[in-house]
Amino acid sequence: MAAKTLFDKIWEAHVVKPVEGGQDVLYIDRHLIHEVTSPQAFDGLRQRGIPVFRPAQTIATADHNVPTLHQHLPIVEPLSRFQVDKLTENCREFGIELYGLGHAWQGIVHVIGPELGITQPGMTIVCGDSHTSTHGAFGTIAFGIGTSQVEQVLATQCLLQKKPKRMRITVDGTLASGVTAKDIILHIIAQLSAAGATGYFVEYAGSAIRALSMEGRMTICNMSIEMGARGGLIAPDEVTFEYVRNREFAPKGSDWEKALQYWQTLHSDPDAVFDQEYYIQAEDIAPMVTYGTNPGMGIPVDGAIPQVSAEGGASFEKSLEYMGFAPGEKMLGKTVDYVFIGSCTNSRIEDLRLAAAYVKGKYKAPNVRAMVVPGSKQVEQQAKAEGLDRIFAEAGFEFREPGCSACLAMNEDKVPAGKYCVSTSNRNFEGRQGPGARTILAGPLMAAAAAIAGKIVDVRA
Amino acid sequence: MQKFTQLTSTIVPLPNEDVDTDQIIPARFLKATTRDGFGENLFRDWRFHPDGSPKQDFVLNNPTHGGAVLAAGRNFGCGSSREHAAWALYDYGFRVVVSSFFADIFRGNALNNGLLPLQVSPAFLHQIFTAVAQDPTTVLSVDLEQQIVRIGADGPQEQFDIDPFRKVCMLNGYDDIDYLLSMKEEIEDFEQAAQP
Ligand code: SF4
């Protein structure tokens, strides 16, 4: 039998039928939906007069549009309220489980899937959201889809997909102190550029990846899309199995044993061939920050903004102009107005612990507004149980309720025009955190440090 | 979905690279629950000042340029998976986006909505920008059946690639969903077989 990659194994197990012209009909095990990219899909079903094919394999939550304060009250903003209500109606009409506002399991779709044990190794998972790649941390083929495809999956539990090419990125060695999973992925994207992995599905491997917790692995896979990859995945191991074990929807008893047996086969064969391979040494990775308007524009925190981009051109200049930075400048010491700790990249309990441990006993700089937005109701409860909410409050940080929040600024959590925000989210696009907002991406530790210092600092110093 | 066979149109040049879907349609305009009307907010923050007045230097506000073809720099449509980006471009009146490179999800979304993501070589894209800069009335002719794109009446032309299945869908205006719905039985058989 020919050697196979992990990706091949999972993909092949889900091909219902190959179609002429190079597409496969791919079976989808779990479909996650949220309020923003689903209403038009449900309308499509209604127009066709067809039901949801496998409602039990579909899970819904409200996250993108929800306020992060006073979630027990009706949503004030009428359009947001309408969209969230629409999701509730659609789920009721089509028989889909909804963990909406007020539910103990509500949260960012990519945070709740894993924490509820819905996400399991070997599965195919899709969602109308590009950061579905997060779930790949469990050895899962997970990717974002458009609304037409949401409709297809609702109607048939399948998608027509062309198999992507395979890439492996191996990170070996030991991370320096103060360097986190977020820095690994920002480093990788800076190396490969914002389009460097387009057309590929990426497997992350190597001792530095193995050494990460599930939270860290999710942070890495989450940002695969930021270099153009359809998704990223990591072979499941003991860390994965321990994380999944006993979670709400994880298999139990003899089902668990059977599942585990299968999951243990989920790794790339030793002589499997990848279309593209990269090797990175963990010791070379420094705490990272971005200086531009795509996630590929990242540098070590003590580095200087390049003179010209690798690709050169007007887009680079436009980007720096938007950010108010000049080529050759240092990022260290740059003033910060906002700090956002949250998003599906870095809003899990481990992220909050890391930030809380840093800010404990300190107080934020007077020029900074700092927000901590937990990824889910469960993360929020856990943080409170550990007293992290108090640590944040005593440090002058706002500890809010779960949602996407300032990651995409669809609700009222926005960064004003021209202001700088150090954000643990995944996108620094123009206007992403509000019209005119200037985003500097970093990990939770660097973000916490920036809030205390009121400027960009090196956590290693 | 509307059929697409061929088109000849003037070109709107947008040489920016890495145009992400947050620029094409910012998140705050994603609150609608239908597919219509997104064209109004296409490139909202590049097109309008915060007070709603047009930014004169943005190409969509420049009366010299117009047409159903948008020519854009490499890695067009990166970022968020929002299909609203394809809806906004289509609703505004674009039928073809030409670039030297498209982000994956955007490409799929465009194809599912009758908007042709036409990938050309970097050199050909450069020729398009040069031709439009010299003469804004330059047209681009796209023939999907033949997979040929040509600049001007008798200018340079290039063969382009498209997945054969997608081509048939575009030419006939088929959605994937029709195809998948016709496979219900095979899907059920697959489910049965996959049960341990
Ligand atoms: S947190 Fe941000 S990136 Fe993640 S799902 Fe929400 S909006 Fe998308």
Side-chain angles (χ1 to χ4, degrees):
Chain A
M1 215 171 57
K4 284 181 185 167
T5 68
L6 168 61
F7 177 78
D8 290 323
K9 291 180 186 178
I10 305 174
W11 183 277
E12 284 166 17
H14 289 84
V15 174
V16 175
K17 185 178 141 177
V19 181
E20 222 176 309
Q23 310 262 337
D24 288 325
V25 176
L26 193 71
Y27 190 79
I28 303 302
D29 294 317
R30 294 289 180 274
H31 185 195
L32 310 171
I33 60 171
H34 62 82
E35 75 276 22
V36 176
T37 56
S38 67
Q40 295 87 352
F42 283 111
D43 274 351
L45 295 186
R46 247 178 241 118
Q47 274 159 27
R48 289 172 200 271
I50 52 176
V52 171
F53 183 53
R54 294 289 179 249
Q57 284 163 247
T58 312
I59 300 95
T61 190
D63 55 1
H64 280 63
N65 226 333
V66 301
T68 56
L69 284 180
H70 313 304
Q71 288 186 345
H72 59 291
L73 299 177
I75 301 177
V76 177
E77 212 272 315
L79 288 173
S80 299
R81 188 174 63 234
F82 184 71
Q83 211 171 40
V84 171
D85 288 349
K86 199 91 197 157
L87 179 71
T88 311
E89 280 167 34
N90 284 331
C91 287
R92 199 175 295 140
E93 180 180 338
F94 288 92
I96 291 167
E97 191 77 41
L98 167 67
Y99 307 138
L101 281 189
H103 197 288
W105 294 344
Q106 179 267 339
I108 303 174
V109 63
H110 310 311
V111 175
I112 69 168
E115 83 183 359
L116 290 171
I118 293 167
T119 305
Q120 295 167 22
M123 282 183 167
T124 47
I125 299 180
V126 296
C127 172
D129 185 283
S130 57
H131 294 99
T132 309
S133 59
T134 312
H135 307 263
F138 292 79
T140 304
I141 293 186
F143 54 90
I145 56 177
T147 298
S148 296
Q149 293 172 306
V150 171
E151 185 180 338
Q152 290 159 26
V153 179
L154 289 174
T156 67
Q157 207 59 35
C158 286
L159 277 178
L160 273 166
Q161 284 290 304
K162 199 184 178 99
K163 193 174 177 185
K165 288 181 282 185
R166 314 160 194 86
M167 179 187 289
R168 179 163 61 189
I169 301 176
T170 305
V171 188
D172 276 325
T174 311
L175 291 176
S177 139
V179 179
T180 65
K182 182 66 163 284
D183 303 307
I184 301 181
I185 190 63
L186 284 173
H187 176 97
I188 291 174
I189 302 168
Q191 304 280 309
L192 269 69
S193 91
T198 304
Y200 290 90
F201 219 94
V202 180
E203 178 174 346
Y204 302 96
S207 58
I209 302 290
R210 293 260 80 90
L212 293 173
S213 65
M214 284 318 293
E215 278 91 343
R217 295 180 192 187
M218 285 188 255
T219 300
I220 303 253
C221 289
N222 174 274
M223 291 192 72
S224 305
I225 180 76
E226 307 309 338
M227 47 185 177
R230 214 43 213 288
L233 79 177
I234 295 171
D237 58 12
E238 283 308 316
V239 178
T240 323
F241 308 144
E242 274 319 302
Y243 182 98
V244 178
R245 191 194 296 273
N246 293 327
R247 288 195 184 256
E248 196 65 33
F249 294 100
K252 309 272 155 55
S254 63
D255 287 347
W256 169 262
E257 295 304 326
K258 206 155 69 185
L260 196 59
Q261 238 175 33
Y262 171 54
W263 295 349
Q264 278 158 346
T265 67
L266 295 175
H267 49 77
S268 291
D269 296 330
D271 41 356
V273 181
F274 290 80
D275 300 294
Q276 183 74 256
E277 292 228 44
Y278 291 98
Y279 297 91
I280 285 165
Q281 207 48 49
E283 288 77 5
D284 295 342
I285 304 175
M288 297 285 292
V289 287
T290 62
Y291 59 87
T293 55
N294 76 54
M297 302 172 88
I299 49 172
V301 64
D302 54 352
I305 297 171
Q307 291 295 337
V308 282
S309 77
E311 295 145 24
S315 301
F316 178 76
E317 282 163 31
K318 181 173 185 290
S319 180
L320 286 193
E321 194 186 316
Y322 180 87
M323 291 300 292
F325 295 155
E329 278 183 356
K330 289 265 187 195
M331 287 299 288
L332 273 180
K334 289 225 178 277
T335 309
V336 169
D337 309 297
Y338 281 70
V339 166
F340 172 63
I341 298 177
S343 91
C344 57
T345 318
N346 285 117
S347 65
R348 297 178 187 82
I349 191 67
E350 189 182 284
D351 302 311
L352 303 197
R353 283 183 193 138
L354 195 63
Y358 186 91
V359 307
K360 188 170 185 176
K362 304 188 180 83
Y363 200 82
K364 73 169 183 70
N367 54 309
V368 171
R369 179 173 169 200
M371 281 194 278
V372 179
V373 181
S376 70
K377 223 55 201 168
Q378 292 204 63
V379 171
E380 181 192 337
Q381 292 309 322
Q382 177 73 26
K384 284 183 172 164
E386 295 179 18
L388 307 186
D389 58 329
R390 272 200 331 271
I391 296 177
F392 284 122
E394 282 161 18
F397 287 51
E398 300 164 36
F399 186 79
R400 302 173 74 101
E401 294 172 84
C404 294
S405 178
C407 171
L408 91 165
M410 265 191 94
N411 69 354
E412 57 281 4
D413 306 346
K414 292 184 194 347
V415 176
K419 297 292 184 194
Y420 291 97
C421 178
V422 175
S423 176
T424 67
S425 56
N426 42 46
R427 288 190 172 139
N428 50 356
F429 297 151
E430 285 183 32
R432 173 79 179 182
Q433 297 194 288
R438 292 159 160 172
T439 303
I440 298 167
L441 299 177
L445 193 55
M446 289 280 290
I452 301 298
K455 56 187 186 191
I456 304 279
V457 290
D458 188 340
V459 282
R460 296 169 302 182
Chain B
M1 191 174 101
Q2 290 291 314
K3 291 179 186 183
F4 183 100
T5 47
Q6 40 187 313
L7 176 85
T8 298
S9 165
T10 49
I11 306 155
V12 177
L14 183 71
N16 307 42
E17 291 166 356
D18 301 315
V19 173
D20 60 78
T21 53
D22 272 85
Q23 306 318 313
I24 301 173
I25 182 89
R28 61 186 191 281
F29 299 111
L30 305 186
K31 295 176 196 267
T33 53
T34 64
R35 290 174 197 240
D36 314 313
F38 286 101
E40 233 176 277
N41 295 313
L42 176 68
F43 292 116
R44 177 75 202 198
D45 295 335
W46 286 357
R47 210 167 128 201
F48 299 105
H49 292 289
D51 66 4
S53 63
K55 292 186 177 176
Q56 291 309 339
D57 56 350
F58 186 60
V59 66
L60 292 191
N61 295 324
N62 180 348
T64 330
H65 297 293
V69 174
L70 179 70
R74 71 186 289 278
N75 199 24
F76 186 83
C78 61
S80 159
S81 60
R82 61 189 70 159
E83 193 161 317
H84 312 64
W87 300 337
L89 287 160
Y90 195 92
D91 189 50
Y92 184 83
F94 289 116
R95 294 295 173 267
V96 175
V97 183
V98 193
S99 179
S100 55
F101 196 84
F102 289 95
D104 271 342
I105 304 182
F106 175 80
R107 182 201 302 269
N109 285 341
L111 287 164
N112 274 323
N113 286 279
L115 175 71
L116 182 68
L118 176 53
Q119 185 163 330
V120 296
S121 66
F124 194 77
L125 184 65
H126 186 75
Q127 284 181 316
I128 295 177
F129 287 134
T130 313
V132 178
Q134 278 166 3
D135 177 5
T137 65
T138 305
V139 292
L140 198 76
S141 298
V142 181
D143 184 334
L144 179 58
E145 184 64 59
Q146 302 297 323
Q147 295 178 224
I148 287 175
V149 51
R150 193 182 63 234
I151 304 171
D154 46 12
Q157 62 177 45
E158 190 171 271
Q159 191 89 30
F160 63 87
D161 280 339
I162 180 166
D163 182 277
F165 180 85
R166 297 288 163 201
K167 178 176 168 180
V168 173
C169 290
M170 282 291 279
L171 285 172
N172 297 293
Y174 294 157
D175 295 346
D176 286 5
I177 194 162
D178 298 321
Y179 180 84
L180 290 169
L181 283 169
S182 74
M183 289 200 43
K184 268 285 170 59
E185 274 180 31
E186 279 154 293
I187 296 170
E188 281 169 355
D189 290 347
F190 174 88
E191 287 178 325
Q192 288 293 326
Q195 289 299 321

